[in-house]
Amino acid sequence: MYLDRAARAGLAAAALVLGACRSTPPGPNVVTVTARDFSFEAPAEIPAGLTTFRLVNDGPSLHHIQLIKLEDGKTADDYVAALKAGGPPPRWASLAGGPNPPEPGSSTSATVALEPGSYAMICFVPAADGMPHVLKGMVHPFKVTGAAAAGVPEPTADVVVKLVDFDFQLSAPLTAGRHTIRVENAGSQPHEVAIIRLAPGKTPADIGAWAGKPVGPAPGTLEGGVSGIMPGAHAWANVDLPPGDYALMCFFPDATDGKPHFVHGMAKLVHVS
Ligand SMILES: [Cu+2]
């Protein structure tokens, strides 16, 4: 019967699709992290290799994930103590990326290659009193174990954003919709990219002015990005951008004068259409 044959053809097509899925190379390991004021709900142990951190922000504040790789047997407590002591960033800690903030009640993700070792997951976003969330207890120690699985290809990016001292260089104009953005630090200092859709009439400078002590609603909508990575490192931001005017921002303090990098030029207006 005609219908039966059509149904059989449909089943055969479905089987082909399933077969194709099975032969697709494995993707990055996905780790879901829930952030809230002021804690992370995250695993204590994560396998080495390409890892997509999916950050679910339960709010009420903005949060991100800044991964810190700890060397020399140092712990997350040592890192927090070093932050409290002030001074230059400790040599035994390196910034290993992570997703920059989505809106409260929303989620975003970023992919990084995790080397085995000891890590701290922290949030540098300042509270309304100006104190970074990490100093309010937003720190989660974890271990990365094992060897990276072989044959997991790096994510395929459709846009590259180079972080330089002090600018964002885009390989192509950003268009509305889903993107995997490869973020490369081609500068001499740690950098990040926060992707923020500007509220009508607002500028990147308005974001900078608001961010130091974020009282009241942001003059824009947080759309993710990649938190701090070291010079020479790269990571990927997975975003879904509505059209609009955007600010690309780096909030890292400058190694020389301590001012945030956006003051030095890492506050770029980008039109997404
Ligand atoms: Cu920077």
Side-chain angles (χ1 to χ4, degrees):
M1 214 165 82
Y2 174 78
L3 277 177
D4 278 349
R5 221 183 301 151
R8 259 199 304 269
L11 278 176
L16 270 176
V17 168
L18 282 173
C21 285
R22 259 185 236 116
S23 63
T24 300
N29 181 33
V30 178
V31 172
T32 298
V33 174
T34 302
R36 48 181 75 96
D37 295 20
F38 294 101
S39 64
F40 288 113
E41 198 179 301
E45 199 172 316
I46 297 174
L50 282 165
T51 306
T52 298
F53 283 90
R54 181 171 166 264
L55 172 61
V56 178
N57 184 6
D58 258 5
S61 304
L62 294 174
H63 300 294
H64 74 160
I65 294 175
Q66 175 66 65
L67 301 171
I68 308 278
K69 187 162 192 286
L70 303 162
E71 311 289 352
D72 301 346
K74 299 291 186 183
T75 66
D77 287 346
D78 294 329
Y79 186 76
V80 173
L83 280 181
K84 282 181 179 160
R91 270 187 204 158
W92 40 263
S94 60
L95 301 156
N100 255 341
E103 285 292 301
S106 186
S107 69
T108 191
S109 75
T111 303
V112 301
L114 288 178
E115 305 278 339
S118 290
Y119 287 77
M121 176 183 293
I122 68 168
C123 181
F124 273 131
V125 173
D129 61 4
M131 187 181 279
H133 294 171
V134 56
L135 297 184
K136 293 178 181 286
M138 208 159 171
V139 52
H140 173 81
F142 68 98
K143 298 255 187 261
V144 172
T145 56
V152 181
E154 292 198 330
T156 304
D158 58 336
V159 186
V160 178
V161 173
K162 274 194 180 145
L163 315 176
V164 300
D165 312 342
F166 297 98
D167 194 12
F168 300 95
Q169 296 174 346
L170 281 69
S171 65
L174 269 181
T175 54
R178 287 184 182 280
H179 294 283
T180 298
I181 303 173
R182 182 182 162 106
V183 178
E184 299 178 357
N185 188 349
S188 68
Q189 300 189 33
H191 293 299
E192 67 176 331
V193 59
I195 302 171
I196 302 159
R197 184 159 45 93
L198 294 165
K202 298 298 181 183
T203 66
D206 292 322
I207 300 291
W210 175 84
K213 234 180 180 189
V215 181
T221 305
L222 284 287
E223 301 282 2
V226 168
S227 61
I229 52 175
M230 302 305 278
H234 64 272
W236 296 264
N238 309 303
V239 297
D240 188 1
L241 304 175
D245 283 347
Y246 281 71
L248 304 183
M249 305 284 294
C250 178
F251 299 100
F252 265 78
D254 186 62
T256 304
D257 65 13
K259 290 182 182 160
H261 286 166
F262 66 80
V263 172
H264 290 283
M266 292 186 87
K268 195 181 189 89
L269 177 65
V270 169
H271 304 282
V272 174
S273 55

